[in-house]
């Protein structure tokens, strides 16, 4: 299977005066699985379509396998794309759908047949080849769409929210199949999703986008452990990170002192080399799963306002004395009731601090 | 549950007289519409005496094919049918091709002045054909196509209604399908004819039907362009020759036989495409 690198150099896209992609630099290695993630309208699908050649770029360069391909048609870029809506040709069988691109490239019938049966074997869909799209379930259609991409032996696979139209159970199983497929083929894959669980479970590296700007690029664990700003901290993790507003009271070489009415004075490790000043406003962040009843670096007293029971665990939504809402993950056996007063704490190493511009301290 | 059931029964009992009324109306419209056609077919089998009888004879005493044989002796029916087939088929194919291509461009391309251009195309639908008859005739003459079938066909190869119909249907074809074809390496022309066209089969069937029937039956334009070239006359113009022949012989049956023959191809076309039309709707409505 052919593999390739993808490089974006200061790529922008604007519709008239409205910029939707603003100066993106990105280097994707051979065989890497990169996920673009972000909220609706952040530009992730537009960026993918620009790599595919389906959307013109305004400025910058796109290089696939080291070759600048800004002006190349999609078919000249050596890419294959899987769409959210499957985009199967409704009048063709699964076989016909997979053969269409190969026929256009002038490939012989026997070679086409070999490739299609090889892809069908990988995707376990040999018995579906004679069916038309309307005779297939959602998962089967997506399998055919992936098969159509595989048979082309592309340099780069592009996935545009391929699992969004599937139900929850099918989404999980197809997600695993895509992960297995990447291991099996070892191809470069770029995957767009708004679902951060998909991003975390599939990616070698995640690119978090917001407003057409890259917020952070890193491995799933890097993004989870060391978010670069408030946006990434809030976007990665489910439920999202809790935030408490306060101010910086002291700056030491490797830690910062932060104070708020809810937490009192707490010590937070310094992870970034930001310009932090005593007296400036800051936001303390801590994840629901890192809150513990009673102990920790600080103790927040809060009242239970909502309980979401998931079976093995529960999420409690609590209101602090200053009226801020935070979420805590607790064991399902926890006897909390609506209106209960609890004291929660968090280890110092789990605390994250963001300055008044939202950047990690 | 029982209240729901009662409600349904109540509505059903109210609906029955209304259904009967509707059905009666439909039957009435069908009979009134079909009457001239049935009268035409029956009259084509009557003897000259039966045709002129007062009060009229509804059903001929025996099936008489004499009028059909006589049609062939008055006009060159085979040649006329061939001319009609060439005019209607070529024009229909032309309209389908140009409408698909223009409809695709108007529906899926973003370019400066697109909406204005589309409005201009639509505006041509509001011009009465009689207004464009003479300018078009002069134009056809200036390119040397007068008195030929090409002169009848060429000006009708594009049609504003067709462009409008296709644009509306193609706008409903998912962009992803077109993008998938682009990624697969299809050219824009191939996308139009192998990806978009199969997705708008009902619209193509409807347009083909309209175009074929209209251009099979069209009278004034061929009469103007062909300038008395009887060998190039389509069947509809030849029927008028039967009428003038009939004035001497007083044989309505002759005209009715010619008209019955002339109606058959569009009727077959309608029956064929109607089936295709329904099939398309059923298959696209089954799932997804």
């Amino acid at each position: 299977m052919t593999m390739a690198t993808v490089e974006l150099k200061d790529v922008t896209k604007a519709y008239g005066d409205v910029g939707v992609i603003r100066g993106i630099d990105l280097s994707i290695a051979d065989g890497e699985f990169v996920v673009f993630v972000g909220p609706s309208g952040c530009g992730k699908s537009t960026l993918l379509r620009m790599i595919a050649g389906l959307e013109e770029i305004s400025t910058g360069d796109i290089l696939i396998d080291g070759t600048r391909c800004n002006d190349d048609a999609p078919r000249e870029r050596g890419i294959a794309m899987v769409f959210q809506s499957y985009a199967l040709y409704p009048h063709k069988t699964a076989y016909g759908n997979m053969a269409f691109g190969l026929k256009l490239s002038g490939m012989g019938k026997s070679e086409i047949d070999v490739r299609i049966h090889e892809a069908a074997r990988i995707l376990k869909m040999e018995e579906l080849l004679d069916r038309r799209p309307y005779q297939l379930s959602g998962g089967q259609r997506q399998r055919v769409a992936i098969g159509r991409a595989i048979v082309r032996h592309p340099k780069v696979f592009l996935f545009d929210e391929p699992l969004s139209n599937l139900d929850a159970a099918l989404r999980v199983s197809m997600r695993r199949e895509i992960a297995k497929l990447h291991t099996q083929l070892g191809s470069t894959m770029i995957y767009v999703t708004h679902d951060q669980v998909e991003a975390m479970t599939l990616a070698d590296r995640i690119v978090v986008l917001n407003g057409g700007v890259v917020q952070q690029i890193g491995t799933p664990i890097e993004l989870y452990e060391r978010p670069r700003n408030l946006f990434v901290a809030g976007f990665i993790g489910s439920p999202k990170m809790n935030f408490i507003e306060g101010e910086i009271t002291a700056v030491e070489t490797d830690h910062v002192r932060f104070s708020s009415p809810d937490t009192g004075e707490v010590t937070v490790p310094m992870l970034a080399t930001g310009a932090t000043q005593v007296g400036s406003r800051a936001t303390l962040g801590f994840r629901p799963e890192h809150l513990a009843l009673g102990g920790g670096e600080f103790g927040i007293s809060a009242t239970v306002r909502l309980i979401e029971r998931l079976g093995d665990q529960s999420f409690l939504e609590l209101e602090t004395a200053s009226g801020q809402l935070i979420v805590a993950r607790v064991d399902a056996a926890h006897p909390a009731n609506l209106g209960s007063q609890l004291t929660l704490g968090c280890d110092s190493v789990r605390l994250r601090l963001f300055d008044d511009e939202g950047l990690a301290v | 549950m029982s209240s729901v059931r009662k409600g349904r029964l109540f509505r059903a009992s109210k609906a029955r007289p209304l259904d009967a009324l509707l059905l009666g109306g439909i039957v009435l419209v069908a009979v009134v519409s079909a009457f001239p056609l049935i009268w035409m077919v029956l009259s084509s089998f009557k003897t000259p005496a039966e045709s002129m009888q007062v009060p009229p004879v509804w059903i001929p005493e025996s099936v008489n094919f004499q009028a059909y044989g006589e049609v062939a002796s008055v006009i060159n029916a085979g040649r006329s049918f061939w001319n009609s087939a060439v005019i209607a088929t070529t024009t229909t194919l032309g309209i389908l091709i140009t409408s698909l291509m223009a409809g695709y461009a108007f529906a899926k391309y973003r370019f400066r002045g697109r909406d204005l251009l589309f409005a201009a195309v639509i505006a041509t639908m509001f011009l009465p054909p009689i207004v464009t008859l003479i300018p078009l005739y002069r134009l056809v003459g200036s390119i040397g196509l007068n008195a030929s079938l090409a002169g009848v066909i060429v000006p009708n190869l594009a049609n504003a209604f067709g462009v409008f119909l296709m644009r509306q249907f193609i706008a409903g074809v998912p962009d992803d399908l077109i993008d998938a074809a682009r990624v697969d390496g299809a050219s824009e022309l191939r996308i139009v004819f192998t990806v978009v066209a199969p997705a708008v089969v009902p619209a193509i069937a409807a347009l083909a039907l309209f175009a074929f029937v209209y251009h099979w039956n069209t009278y004034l334009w061929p009469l103007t362009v062909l300038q008395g070239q009887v060998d190039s006359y389509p069947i509809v113009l030849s029927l008028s020759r039967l009428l003038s022949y009939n004035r001497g012989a007083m044989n309505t049956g002759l005209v009715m036989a010619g008209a019955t023959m002339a109606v058959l191809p569009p009727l077959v076309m309608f029956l064929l495409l109607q089936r295709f039309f329904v099939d398309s709707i059923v298959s696209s409505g089954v799932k997804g």
Side-chain angles (χ1 to χ4, degrees), chain B residues 88-184:
Chain B
T89 309
T90 315
T91 310
T92 302
L93 279 175
I95 287 173
L96 288 180
I97 291 168
T98 53
S99 299
L100 266 169
M101 288 165 69
Y104 175 67
F106 279 124
K108 296 296 180 187
Y109 284 8
R110 276 180 291 185
F111 56 90
R112 196 185 293 272
R114 179 186 68 172
D115 293 343
L116 195 68
L117 193 60
F118 185 63
V121 171
I122 296 302
T124 64
M125 285 166 64
F126 300 111
L127 287 175
I130 200 77
V131 172
T132 57
L133 188 74
I134 301 303
L136 209 54
Y137 171 72
R138 291 178 64 95
L139 196 66
V140 166
S142 71
I143 54 173
L145 294 180
N146 264 352
S148 70
L149 284 183
V152 179
I153 293 164
V154 171
N156 292 310
L157 290 177
N159 172 293
F161 172 70
V163 174
F164 170 75
L165 190 75
M166 285 304 158
R167 187 237 185 213
Q168 298 308 96
F169 269 78
I170 293 172
V173 176
D175 290 343
D176 277 358
L177 204 61
I178 294 164
D179 284 340
R182 285 184 182 135
V183 170
D184 269 339

Side-chain angles (χ1 to χ4, degrees), chain A residues 49 85 88-89 91 104 152, chain B residues 176 179 181 183-184 190 194:
Chain A
R49 290 171 56 80
S85 61
L88 297 178
Y89 310 119
H91 56 291
L104 292 179
R152 300 188 59 213
Chain B
D176 277 358
D179 284 340
V183 170
D184 269 339
R190 192 179 285 274
T194 63

Side-chain angles (χ1 to χ4, degrees), chain A residues 44-85:
Chain A
K44 55 190 186 298
S45 284
T46 306
L47 188 60
L48 191 79
R49 290 171 56 80
M50 287 159 77
I51 295 170
L54 295 170
E55 201 82 55
E56 280 184 20
I57 69 171
S58 301
T59 60
D61 286 320
I62 294 178
L63 290 86
I64 295 178
D65 216 8
T67 309
R68 184 178 178 274
C69 59
N70 289 21
D71 305 318
D72 291 351
R75 63 178 176 273
E76 294 161 342
R77 297 189 180 205
I79 53 107
M81 189 156 168
V82 179
F83 295 83
Q84 179 181 354
S85 61

Side-chain angles (χ1 to χ4, degrees), chain B residues 30-31 33-44 58:
Chain B
V31 168
S33 307
F35 177 74
L37 198 71
I38 295 166
W39 180 253
M40 176 184 78
V41 175
L42 290 175
S43 297
S44 72
W58 291 95

Side-chain angles (χ1 to χ4, degrees), chain B residues 44-56:
Chain B
S44 72
F45 295 124
K46 289 174 190 169
T47 60
E50 282 174 324
S51 297
M52 301 306 297
Q53 207 166 313
V54 180

